[in-house]
């Protein structure tokens, strides 16, 4: 899995650095995302995909099909599909 | 297994044009629709061009919700360093100190005690004012102005007077800050960017940030505490497993969705959404409460579940206007709720829930015993 970030899109929500600090960091100058680990190991894959889905501006993309549910193609991951209405 | 949140079983985007209005207006209540609209740069938060002459006065300089890119990018960038995860962590000792003081005060006040006036408002106003560097002696009065000025206060004269007092205090305060900035959020903003900001922008920044830090955080903390008190199994689970606090806070934020409606968006071009087309100049109201699966403040439709994976909730909005204070809000709620439950593990409502009164973004009183 390869992670890419688009600093121009980033709104500095800090979600990614809060939930996946081993992969993402946040600049102290502009609050925008910094990529600490572009090739995270399998252990971080779930958190990274969740952050790609959750990022408010779609600034995080996941590339490559290392896993059964790889999104790839540089698209922001889709939000989790519901299986039941609430 | 916690139930997923997102309800996209139905497409929920409807036309709600008021009778006699020349322009079509829309309401989006579905998760997918709200997310698509808020995340799309083709929607503006500025009033539609046709009404610009009437609406211009509604644009508040310094309020980030009243700017589109690239001006929005420029303004937000100046404030961002103050709201990073690292910076917010440096505020934790302040919040812990304030929360401890207020818990001591609760203990001395005796039972039953109103959590809103003795805990929620004093905590959020002390923290909000301290972040902006406002002297401690002025904090209570300023918080009162904010509370009196709230949109659903029926006494219009009182409301306007409070709004004027709030503005006039902060304009005087900002003039002093220009001369002697000090080491706080507004002081640093003046030192770093004072030359690029007009007086109106600086004042607007101060008034918007302070009101949000106090009112929105207080509303969420009050309604969120109520949500926990009304769900005793969830409360018991959190007491048993305090490590769930971050989850619990996020779930409370979702279930409360204190900003029920996002600022209206206006289409800058024709935008297809959910099989329909929102035309250039049409406005759309996005219900964050609807998208998050709730029906009314304090009444979660999706039941409160502190083990739920609610990632993707939009209580803080979505897109470039995602709440700049989200990390502060989470941190403050975490310390306040964890502190309250640790000090008073048997805390419970002292009145039947039907007796509680609500305003647009808050529960007015929350009498409790322990």
């Amino acid at each position: 899995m390869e992670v890419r970030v688009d600093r121009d899109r980033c709104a500095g929500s800090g979600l990614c650095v809060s939930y996946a600090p081993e992969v993402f960091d946040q600049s102290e100058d502009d609050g925008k995302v910094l990529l600490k680990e572009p090739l995270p190991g399998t252990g971080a894959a779930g958190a990274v995909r969740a952050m790609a889905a959750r990022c408010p501006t779609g600034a995080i993309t996941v590339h490559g099909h290392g896993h059964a549910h790889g999104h790839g193609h540089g698209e922001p991951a889709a939000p989790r599909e519901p299986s039941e209405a609430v | 297994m916690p139930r997923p949140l997102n309800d996209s079983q139905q497409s929920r985007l409807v036309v709600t044009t008021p009778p006699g209005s020349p322009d079509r207006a829309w309401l989006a209540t579905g998760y997918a629709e709200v997310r698509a609209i808020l995340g799309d740069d083709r929607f503006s938060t500025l009033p539609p061009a046709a009404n610009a002459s009437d609406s211009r006065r509604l644009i508040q300089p310094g309020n980030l919700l009243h700017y589109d890119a690239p001006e929005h990018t420029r303004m937000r960038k100046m404030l961002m360093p103050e709201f990073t995860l690292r910076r917010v962590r440096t505020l934790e000792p302040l919040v812990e100190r304030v929360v401890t003081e207020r818990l001591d005060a609760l203990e001395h006040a005796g039972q039953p005690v109103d959590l809103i006036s003795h805990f929620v408002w004093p905590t959020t106003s002390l923290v909000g004012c301290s972040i902006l560097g406002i002297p401690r002696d002025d904090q209570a009065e300023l918080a009162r102005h904010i509370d009196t000025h709230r949109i659903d206060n029926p006494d219009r004269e009182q409301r306007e007077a409070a709004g004027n007092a709030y503005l006039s205090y902060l304009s005087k305060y900002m003039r002093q800050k220009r001369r002697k900035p000090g080491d706080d959020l507004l002081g640093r903003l003046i030192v770093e960017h004072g030359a690029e900001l007009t007086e109106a922008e600086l004042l607007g920044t101060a008034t918007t940030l302070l009101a949000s830090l106090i009112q929105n955080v207080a509303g969420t903390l009050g309604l969120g505490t109520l949500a926990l008190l009304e769900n005793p199994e969830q409360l018991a689970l959190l007491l048993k497993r305090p490590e769930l606090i971050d989850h619990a806070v996020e779930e409370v934020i979702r279930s409360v969705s204190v900003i029920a409606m996002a600022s209206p968006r206006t289409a800058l071009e024709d935008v297809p959404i959910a099989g329909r087309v929102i035309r250039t100049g049409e406005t759309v109201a996005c219900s964050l409460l609807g998208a998050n699966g709730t029906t009314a403040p304090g009444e979660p439709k999706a039941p409160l579940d502190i083990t739920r994976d609610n990632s993707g909730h939009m209580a803080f909005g979505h897109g470039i206007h995602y709440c700049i204070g989200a990390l502060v809000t989470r941190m403050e709620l975490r310390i306040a709720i964890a502190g309250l439950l640790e000090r008073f593990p048997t805390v419970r409502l002292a009145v039947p829930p039907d007796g509680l009164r609500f305003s647009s973004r808050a529960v007015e009183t929350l009498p409790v015993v322990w």
Side-chain angles (χ1 to χ4, degrees):
Chain A
M1 168 198 280
E2 185 194 346
V3 185
R4 287 179 210 160
V5 295
D6 182 343
R7 298 195 83 245
D8 287 338
R9 293 197 70 87
C10 176
S13 73
L15 280 167
C16 56
V17 67
S18 303
Y19 287 93
E22 66 286 2
V23 179
F24 303 102
D25 200 353
Q26 188 178 26
S27 158
E28 288 182 60
D29 293 333
D30 60 10
K32 292 190 178 206
V33 63
L34 296 171
L35 192 55
K36 235 158 109 175
E37 179 49 75
L39 299 167
T42 46
V48 170
R49 287 188 202 288
M51 282 308 113
R54 192 173 181 186
C55 174
T57 52
I60 300 170
T61 48
V62 173
H63 303 256
H65 293 268
H67 293 274
H69 301 289
H71 291 284
H73 311 303
E75 288 299 315
R80 189 172 288 106
E81 287 301 320
S83 56
E84 184 187 356
V86 288
Chain B
M1 185 70 185
R3 291 194 296 165
L5 261 187
N6 310 343
D7 173 8
S8 57
Q9 303 289 313
Q10 295 168 282
S11 172
R12 292 188 294 178
L13 177 65
V14 294
V15 172
T16 56
T17 312
S21 169
D23 301 308
R24 204 156 58 141
W26 299 78
L27 171 67
T29 55
Y31 182 88
E33 292 81 358
V34 169
R35 189 178 158 105
I37 292 160
L38 298 185
D40 196 319
D41 300 343
R42 292 171 294 176
F43 288 100
S44 162
T45 54
L46 299 176
N51 303 328
S53 55
D54 296 336
S55 310
R56 189 82 63 194
R57 63 200 165 85
L58 297 175
I59 298 177
Q60 300 162 0
N63 181 345
L64 285 173
L65 283 168
H66 294 220
Y67 291 82
D68 288 338
E71 292 77 16
H72 174 264
T73 320
R74 179 184 77 91
M75 291 287 292
R76 185 165 169 123
K77 201 172 162 185
M78 294 183 206
L79 286 169
M80 262 327 296
E82 297 294 334
F83 293 96
T84 63
L85 187 62
R86 272 188 204 86
R87 181 58 63 81
V88 167
R89 283 193 179 136
T90 68
L91 297 172
E92 287 178 3
L94 160 77
V95 177
E96 274 159 11
R97 182 171 51 76
V98 170
V99 165
T100 304
E101 278 173 20
R102 296 319 307 173
L103 292 172
D104 292 346
L106 280 182
E107 217 164 342
H108 291 132
Q111 310 177 43
V113 66
D114 172 26
L115 278 187
I116 303 301
S117 56
H118 288 85
F119 182 66
V120 171
W121 267 83
T123 299
T124 55
S125 46
L126 277 167
V127 169
C129 287
S130 302
I131 292 173
L132 300 195
I134 287 158
R136 195 177 174 105
D137 287 358
D138 301 336
Q139 297 180 356
E141 193 186 337
L142 215 44
R144 242 191 333 273
H145 293 327
I146 293 174
D147 193 30
T148 311
H149 185 60
R150 66 176 180 218
I151 201 146
D152 55 354
N153 181 351
D155 188 334
R156 191 182 160 152
E157 233 169 78
Q158 196 189 52
R159 185 179 132 72
E160 280 174 4
N164 290 336
Y166 179 68
L167 263 181
S168 111
Y169 176 92
L170 282 174
S171 19
K172 194 172 140 212
Y173 177 68
M174 292 312 285
R175 284 197 297 276
Q176 290 167 0
K177 292 296 263 185
R178 280 273 194 195
R179 289 197 295 274
K180 202 177 162 208
D183 189 21
D184 50 63
L185 189 156
L186 293 172
R188 286 187 294 268
L189 184 66
I190 288 168
V191 170
E192 297 282 324
H193 301 288
E196 308 156 58
L197 292 165
T198 64
E199 297 304 318
E201 283 172 334
L202 262 180
L203 178 61
T205 302
T207 54
T208 315
L209 283 182
L210 187 63
S212 309
L213 278 169
I214 297 182
Q215 201 163 33
N216 299 343
V217 181
T220 307
L221 180 55
L223 289 167
T225 306
L226 171 62
L228 283 168
L229 296 177
E230 283 191 301
N231 286 275
E233 321 90 79
Q234 296 295 308
L235 185 61
L237 180 62
L238 183 55
L239 284 162
K240 199 171 138 204
R241 295 181 55 196
E243 74 277 10
L244 286 175
I245 186 68
D246 287 327
H247 261 92
V249 162
E250 207 63 37
E251 175 63 352
V252 147
I253 288 169
R254 177 209 57 95
S255 87
V256 164
S257 294
V258 78
I259 309 293
M261 300 291 284
S263 300
R265 297 318 201 248
T266 303
L268 298 174
E269 52 185 273
D270 293 359
V271 185
I273 298 274
R276 312 197 60 176
V277 178
I278 300 177
R279 303 263 174 223
T280 310
E282 293 176 354
T283 57
V284 52
C286 288
S287 170
L288 302 178
L289 201 58
N292 284 336
T294 60
T295 51
E299 290 176 9
K301 182 178 148 202
L304 192 80
D305 177 353
I306 64 168
T307 64
R308 186 201 298 279
D309 172 8
N310 69 7
S311 63
H313 79 73
M314 291 185 287
F316 290 118
H318 186 68
I320 64 166
H321 293 285
Y322 185 88
C323 177
I324 199 170
L327 295 172
V328 180
T329 306
R330 289 193 182 93
M331 180 270 288
E332 213 173 324
L333 256 73
R334 172 169 52 78
I335 294 173
I337 293 175
L340 180 72
L341 297 184
E342 197 183 326
R343 183 78 71 99
F344 307 111
T346 53
V347 64
R348 58 199 181 278
L349 279 178
V351 295
D354 339 354
L356 295 170
R357 283 186 312 161
F358 296 88
S359 56
S360 68
R361 292 181 181 177
V363 55
E364 290 193 351
T365 58
L366 203 51
V368 296
V369 290
W370 53 83

